[in-house]
Each structure stands twice: as C-alpha cells, then as structure tokens.
Amino acid sequence: GATRDECSQAALDTGATTTFGIFNRNVTSWLTDEEIDQMIDAGRVFVAETWEELVNQINAQEYDGATINMDVATLEKTITEHNGFIDAGEDTQFDKDIKATHGKIEAGPYYAVPQWPAVHHTMGGVTINSNAQVLNAEGNIIEGLYAAGEVTGGIHGTNRLGSNAVSDAVSFGYVAGTHAITGTNPFVEDDIVDAVANTFSGIAQGYKGPVTVDVTIDGTTITSVVVADHMETLGISDKAIADLPKSIVAGQTISLDTISGASFTSKAILEATGIALTEAGLDLANYQTAFNMESTSELADATYDVVIVGGGGAGLTGAIEAASQGASVVVIEKMPFLGGNTLISHGEMAMADTWLQEELGIQDSPELFATDMFVAGNELAKYEVTLALAEASGETAFWLRDFVGVEFNPTYLGQEGGHSVKRQLLPEGNGVGLVESLKEKATDLGVTFMLETTGETLIQDETGKVVAVEVSSGDQSATITANNGVILATGGFGENIEMHVQYNTLWPDLGPSMLSSNAKGITGDGILMASEIGANLQNMEQIQLYPFTDPTTGVFFPIEAPNWNAEGHVYVNQSGERFVNEFLTRYHRAQAILDQDGFVYCIYNQEVADRLDLEEDFAENYEVAKNKDIFYKAETLGEIAEHFNIDSVALTQTLEDYNAGAESGKDEFGREIGLVPMYDGPWFILKGTSAIHHTMGGVEIDEVARVINTEGEIIEGLYAAGEVVGSVHGAERVGSCAVADALVFGRIAGDSATNLE
Ligand code: ADP
C-alpha cells in the first residue's frame, strides 16, 4: 500500500540482496494460470505445496552472489499475522489500507517471487507549461519547441505514482501535438472558444470524394490547416494530407506544387483552403507566393546485399524473402508511397492448391493453372516461366498467410474469365490491406525504404555483372551498390504514353485520350534501364485494356463485381442493347466496348447484389460513384434507363431476351458463365469505358527470375519480377494473375538475388 519510493527504501534498508513477494492463487486472481506458468518456466517464481518446501527452494538459490537463510517458522508467523489483519480489516504493523479485494493466503500451492528495486522512472527533465511548450531557465517560452512524456520534469515531483507514466505521455503528447499545429490547448475553454471562432472550413472534390479542410486564422495569418475529412486512398494520399497543410502554414500560400501521385488530393486541399480563406473574408491574392518546403534529407551512397528498384507487390515480397534469409535489403521507390499498382488493385490473386480449394473440394494443379494462362495468352509466354509461377503459387499463398501475416477473406474463392476452376483468393482490405501487411513484415525484418528516390541506371562491373543502381532524388544523386544482386520490380508501362504509341499494334489509338487504370509511377523505367544494358524485351505490343473501368479516371470499378464472380449482369450500349458475351477474355470485351463508340453500362439487380453482399462490402465505392454520377440505383428499368438517357423500350427487351436465354441455357451471345436470370428491381446501373490496364511485355527472365539478354545469355546480378517482366503472360494477362505474378515472382527473385552467384 505504500508508494514505490517507500517500498524501495524499505527493501534497501534490509541490507539484504533480495526480498520476496509471497502469495497464493487466491490473491493473484488477476494473473492467468498461463502467465504464472510462464513465470515459473522462466525461473522467476518458486512454487511449492508447503511453506517448508517453498523456503527450501528459496534458500537453495543465490541472489546477487549471496544466499539467504529464511526461517520457515518466521515466514508462517508473518503469513498468519497478515491473514489476521485481513480478517480484522486493519493492519496494526504497517498500517496497510486493507481493502475488500485483499485476499488471505491460506491454501497452497504457495508462490514466492524474488524482487529488488530497480531504476524505473526519472521524474526530472525539461520544464514545460500547460501547453507542453518548453520554458527556458528564466521561465520564458522557447518558441517552436514542445516536450511531452518522461523527457519533461515537473509533472510528478518526487514520486511518479503507478500508472501515471502512460497517462502523462498520452495526455501531454496530445496537448503538444494540438498546440504545435493550432496554437490552442484542447483542454483550455478559452482556447477552444477562440479556435472555433477563428476556424473556417472549405470543401473541394478530391480523387474519390469531398475533402474537407479546417483553416485557423489569426488576423491575416494562417495559423493552422487540418484535413478534417476525406475519402482518399490510404497510402497514396498520405503525404499530401500530412505535408501540404504544413507548407501552406509555413509559406502562407496556396500556390504550392502538388504531391507526386496524389495530384487530385493535393488540388482539393489547396482549393478547399482557398475557399476557407475566402470564407474568412481574406483576399486570396495575398496567399499566392510560390513556396517550396526545404527538403532536409541527404541522399548518400550506400551498400546492401540486395537492392530492389520499385516498392510494389513484387518489390515488397522480394524484400521480405531476401531479408528473412538474413540479407540486408533496400527498396528504392520513386513515389512518396509504397504499393504501386498493387495498392490500387482489388488484391485478388489466383493461386493453385490452397486451403480454400481443399475445403471446397476443388481439384487444381500447377499444370492446369499454367495451361490456363498459357492458352489464354496465345502461347506467347515462356511456358517454363508461367509454370514456375503456377508451381510456387500455392506455397506462396500459405507463406503470405502464415509468415507474412496477410489476412485473407475466409470464404471467398473467385473465378474470372480464363480460369478453369475457382482459384482466386482475396486479401482483406484489398490492395491497401495487402500492401499494409507486406510493408509491416518488411519493416519488421529491417528492410530499408528509400521513398521519393528514382532508380535511373544499372551499373555493371567489367565482367558485365550488375553491381549497383544509380539513383536520384530531386537534384541529388547517389550510387546504391548490391553485394549480391539487383531486382527490378518497377511494374509495367501503363502510364507511359510514348511507349504505348511506340509499341501498340493491336488497338486503334492508345494516345493521350486513352485513360489508364495504373498508378502514376508505372512508366516502364525498369524495362528501359534493363534494355539499355542489353536485356531482351518480349511481347511489348501486348497491351491489355481493362474492359470496364470508371470513365472519369480509367480505374478499375470494384462494384462491377458480378463480372468476376460468375454472376448475373449484362453490358448494354447507349441504345440499350447487349453487344458481347460478358465473359469473353478482356481483349475481346475491350474490343467490343471500344466498338460501341463512347460509354457502355453494366446492369444487375438487387438479388445479385445481395448474393454477393455488394452493398455491405462496397458501400463507400457506391457512394463515390454516385457522387460522380456514374452509378444509379432505382426501382424500375425505366428509371435507370432514363437517368442515363438510354432507350428504355430497348433495355426492357434486352433484359427479356437475356432472361429467356438464361432459362433455356442458350444465350444469344454464347455466354455460359453467370447466366442467372434477373427479373425484379431495384436495378443497379454503372457507366464505364475501357482503359489501359496491364502491359504484358517487358524484360525476358528465366524460371528463377534471372534477366536474359538479346543473345539469350543470363545477365549476372540482375533479376526482375512482376509487371516489368515480359515472359509470363503472353497475349493475355488473365484476371487475378497480376498480383499473383508480382507476389510469387517477387519472392522467387528475392531468393535468387540472395543466393545465386
Ligand atoms: P508489380 O505489381 O510488378 O510489383 P507495382 O505497380 O505494384 O508493380 O509496383 C511498381 C513500383 O515501382 C511502383 O510503386 C512504382 O512507383 C515503382 N517504380 C517505378 N519506376 C521506378 C523507378 N525508376 N525507381 C523507383 N521506383 C520505381
């Protein structure tokens, strides 16, 4: 019951080298049996059925070099007195405050834990005021400096009471963080009133939905900018949300460069800040000075065992595999965030021989999986490389779940066009959840990340072995040397218009008007770097369009889900007519959609949405699409037709024909999958268009991810994985095989780069 200081002092005063805590299970009900067992196993607790046995154990040990000689009779007397105090409700020896929860020590087994005071908390530190602002020796505020937690003095005096360290840390941490940004104390009433009076909000449209910004003004000075609400993609938008508000305050301006990869979010933050300033009655002309927050990071030469260029799916699994084998690993990523196309993907991955296939009794094999991919790709892939992916896929799925910690949907197993059986797994949280788990594991394993750093050139030694990568960041450059190997994991060239135009032979026009579903950094850099040192390129003309994407961005449409769930839905054109078998390959569907001249629509009904839990799983996506007026839901076919100006008579006829085909099994477009009739509303309609999605072409590799040159020889020291590779898919990258390819081959490349000479 005494303070920690008093207990410590009393222990030290004994002049001994240890004291003991004595208890039985009655008084330690707050510890689980498991915890007690762990302490016993660790040798930190003695346990015995009788007091004599307990004392024998105590006396058999040395404590800091000395034995002790405890007397059983005295111990038993002490315990009897203790029990008496509990009964009486009063401790006449040490005046302990006896509480109802204090138990008696009667029945064995008895426990003893040796204990001795140790330095625990340092109450002293820097002086702060109640806003967590640091004070100098004269008691004046040092502007711009805050302190919180154990670094401060003056909170606890001579004795920090138990459990007050964490409350100190979190409370003053919160005060310091708030005051540093807003100049107000969240617990001081006047400050709160002032802050509310001087805060103005602005709302502007970001990438996915509205972005709300709160701006606090003191006179004409912007004292704080906070993004209060948004629907932007985690990861991609992080830097814009964290850094732009600071730059606005530091530069007193809204004329700032957008953050790379997050230009929509950046523009929304700047625009919303402008709206708030206008709301505050300020003249925007006074907030237009160009400003650049100075970068404090220095780029320096460094050496690692494995150097990975590109931090998407392939780069991250490569990093995890290499680091888990003891290699030192760096991931060089040109964007301010990790994840690439993997981050914005749905995350689905086709893997053969997994737990879900076993549970559902689905017969699959690497050969069947590889054949599906090879045949769909018009046999233009290297079969042995496709087979290597299929062979390692099942084991990689288990590795992702059990070693990396990726959480998978426990029941979902999907099947997109091109697959003979259901084999696609779905990570919880889609691409964002997947990348989060990969990032966390790589971080735990000590992988170094160099963000906003671009891999520029591959450096070879005199034998031609790749030994380093020249990198740049802003106007700085450096050489990152690899002891073992370099992995290219830079993705495809979906965002590089010049390369589309240069290599396209299959599509009418892939110029600037064609949208792309890709992340901003996917510009073919790895292909260009590898080709500069003689790597062979394969299948470069094989550019895949995703048939049905968000027509405002070209990004994949998660609420088109019935299409990859073998479920009921139809595609119709502006005239309300079907024009294609909705389960043809992506190539044929995209061709058919481009032939429709403009937009097409995907239609399904409530029963389909309910069977797939779509409204629950994709509530946010429906809301975003509704805001953009590319999704509409209504009771009748007439209403959805009218909303998008489609001929409603034709649409009704189309659904009747579709249902007749579904009932007879004879679809007029030859469709056999997901031929489920749809009779009743409510109806869902989405507007879409085709966009560049995947580039199957890239560098040639062998089955262990070694890059091959134009002479057919291995380029020593260079490995490639993921969309940068041209050997895996041929003419068609089958749905859900991109993430599978990146993760499986990333891992193979990580292993090869660590172990191969
Ligand atoms: P994959 O699925 O093949 O792993 P992703 O698209 O997921 O491909 O990831 C590729 C990553 O590589 C992206 O995060 C992209 O920003 C990054 N990247 C592309 N070019 C470079 C480069 N020159 N230097 C560093 N990173 C790059």
Side-chain angles (χ1 to χ4, degrees), residues 14-55:
T14 62
T17 51
T18 188
T19 64
F20 295 88
I22 307 286
F23 55 92
N24 69 353
R25 284 309 270 131
N26 183 33
V27 298
T28 54
S29 50
W30 48 278
L31 283 173
T32 64
D33 287 341
E34 218 177 13
E35 284 167 330
I36 298 252
D37 287 345
Q38 276 170 9
M39 288 195 263
I40 294 169
D41 288 347
R44 290 176 50 212
V45 173
F46 302 114
V47 56
E49 286 301 327
T50 66
W51 290 117
E52 187 162 3
E53 282 168 38
L54 190 74
V55 167

Side-chain angles (χ1 to χ4, degrees), residues 310 312-314 332-335 339-342 454-455 489-490 521-522 525 722-723 742:
I332 294 156
E333 168 57 57
K334 72 175 176 181
M335 303 306 282
N341 274 348
T342 309
T454 305
T490 47
I522 312 305
D525 301 12
E723 202 174 336

Side-chain angles (χ1 to χ4, degrees), residues 313-386:
L316 288 170
T317 46
I320 293 170
E321 180 60 36
S324 71
Q325 295 192 34
S328 61
V329 182
V330 65
V331 174
I332 294 156
E333 168 57 57
K334 72 175 176 181
M335 303 306 282
F337 53 88
L338 295 166
N341 274 348
T342 309
L343 181 80
I344 58 171
S345 76
H346 197 53
E348 272 174 311
M349 59 189 89
M351 303 284 198
D353 293 337
T354 60
W355 57 94
L356 277 183
Q357 286 188 329
E358 198 185 324
E359 276 169 31
L360 298 171
I362 292 169
Q363 282 292 327
D364 199 0
S365 70
E367 289 72 23
L368 182 63
F369 182 16
T371 304
D372 282 348
M373 284 190 271
F374 194 60
V375 170
N378 286 349
E379 307 193 359
L380 290 178
K382 282 174 81 174
Y383 182 72
E384 70 272 22
V385 177
T386 312

Side-chain angles (χ1 to χ4, degrees), residues 80-213:
T80 310
E81 278 168 9
H82 163 86
N83 288 342
F85 296 150
I86 302 275
D87 277 339
E90 189 189 0
D91 177 352
T92 52
Q93 188 179 11
F94 290 107
D95 199 23
K96 172 166 160 174
D97 187 13
I98 308 286
K99 304 219 168 69
T101 48
H102 288 156
K104 291 203 282 190
I105 307 171
E106 288 176 326
Y110 303 115
Y111 299 80
V113 54
Q115 49 190 30
W116 196 243
V119 172
H120 185 52
H121 192 96
T122 50
M123 277 75 74
V126 300
T127 310
I128 57 169
N129 65 15
S130 58
N131 295 329
Q133 294 168 291
V134 176
L135 305 182
N136 67 13
E138 280 79 51
N140 298 323
I141 292 168
I142 302 175
E143 287 295 340
L145 187 62
Y146 291 83
E150 201 173 334
V151 70
T152 64
I155 311 286
H156 305 286
T158 57
N159 191 19
R160 198 267 293 153
L161 295 178
S163 74
N164 279 356
V166 174
S167 52
D168 171 15
V170 299
S171 306
F172 267 110
Y174 176 47
V175 170
T178 310
H179 202 277
I181 293 199
T182 64
T184 63
N185 186 317
F187 300 114
V188 174
E189 191 65 26
D190 286 352
D191 275 4
I192 296 168
V193 172
D194 278 0
V196 171
N198 295 323
T199 300
F200 300 86
S201 290
I203 300 178
Q205 183 67 23
Y207 187 69
K208 288 177 129 192
V211 174
T212 307
V213 173

